[in-house]
Every structure is written in C-alpha cells, then in structure tokens.
Amino acid sequence: MSRRMARELVLHMLFTNDFVNEDSEKVLESSLGHNFDLFSDEYELYQQAPAEAQDGYIHAAFTGIMEHMPELNNYIEQYSVGWSVSRMSRLTRCILRLCMYEMLYMDIPVGASINEGVELAKKYDSDEAAAFINGVLGAFVAKELAR
C-alpha cells in the first residue's frame, strides 16, 4: 500500500470517528481488522501489502491524532484566522489534523504533507477547501516549524 492510500484510509477513519462520534478504539479495530466495507474498492491493494507495513503508519497516525486532538484543534484555531474548528467542514478539520500531526510527530517532509493535504481536499472536499488548507498549513509551518 502506498503512503497516499494509507493517508486516505486514516482520513476516512478520522472522518468516521468525527461524524458518528464512535469510540476511536472501535474505529481503529474495525479498520485494522481489514473490515473495509465502509470504504471504496480502491483499497483492494491494501490487502496485498504485509500487515506490519499496512498497519504501522495507519495505527500510529490515527491513535496519535486522537491522543493529540486538543493540541491539534488549538493549532487549527490559531492559524485559521476567522474560522473556528466547529465552523469548518468535517473533512477540512480531519485533513488539517492529519497533516499537522504528520509534521509535528511523524517523519513526513513538510512539503509532502501539505501537498497530500491539498490533494485530499481536492479529491474529497472542494477547491476552496484545498486553498484554505494550503493557507492554514503554510501559516502553521512558518510559525511553528521554522524555529
């Protein structure tokens, strides 16, 4: 499975968790248990990769984001001038959380994370959301990671 596909799966998991407000452990268990009924056929390749490679990034990203949710939401509030987290679309929130978490806690290059976040927004949200995400992440990187 490519990192892009794993990132999309984490986004689906975050969205599911945010939308239905289920226990995050239940969402994680269902997803890592290879129960992809909720997801599209594009995840067929997932089952062809070794389980450790499939689940490592997904588990680390999802559990880390859930653990650091208040911190990530604070960053989103701080760098999305004029927007509160509750006013954003669920997808936009989830994409921002994912990208910020990758940049802060995972060994993902900043440029790659921003680009992937923008591409996820274009695919699942809107061009306006993609531009918004790009701006928020750009401001976040300039202030928080340029130190």
Side-chain angles (χ1 to χ4, degrees), residues 10-130:
V10 172
L11 176 62
H12 284 282
M13 292 165 61
L14 291 170
F15 182 78
T16 299
N17 192 75
D18 198 43
F19 187 72
V20 298
N21 201 19
E22 286 189 19
D23 175 31
S24 61
E25 287 298 318
K26 183 177 177 182
V27 172
L28 180 65
E29 181 181 308
S30 174
S31 297
L32 293 182
H34 306 267
N35 179 10
F36 294 107
D37 295 340
L38 297 175
F39 307 117
S40 67
D41 291 336
E42 63 194 41
Y43 294 104
E44 287 177 17
L45 292 175
Y46 182 87
Q47 297 170 350
Q48 297 172 13
E52 311 81 57
Q54 296 169 5
D55 298 346
Y57 168 85
I58 294 166
H59 185 276
F62 183 75
T63 57
I65 291 165
M66 298 312 296
E67 182 179 318
H68 292 276
M69 187 78 69
E71 173 191 8
L72 297 170
N73 286 342
N74 284 337
Y75 281 128
I76 293 169
E77 291 272 354
Q78 184 177 350
Y79 293 105
S80 58
V81 179
W83 285 81
S84 66
V85 171
S86 63
R87 226 177 118 209
M88 294 174 199
S89 76
R90 284 185 170 93
L91 277 170
T92 297
R93 277 194 307 253
C94 292
I95 292 168
L96 287 169
R97 289 171 183 153
L98 174 59
C99 293
M100 288 178 173
Y101 183 80
E102 282 184 343
M103 289 186 263
L104 289 168
Y105 297 103
M106 300 182 93
D107 193 22
I108 307 293
V110 169
S113 189
I114 292 173
N115 182 61
E116 291 295 322
V118 169
E119 292 302 316
L120 285 169
K122 287 179 182 176
K123 183 173 181 178
Y124 294 107
D125 208 337
S126 68
D127 288 341
E128 293 82 15

Side-chain angles (χ1 to χ4, degrees), residues 114 133-143:
I114 292 173
I133 287 168
N134 189 44
V136 171
L137 293 176
F140 170 75
V141 167
K143 296 279 186 169

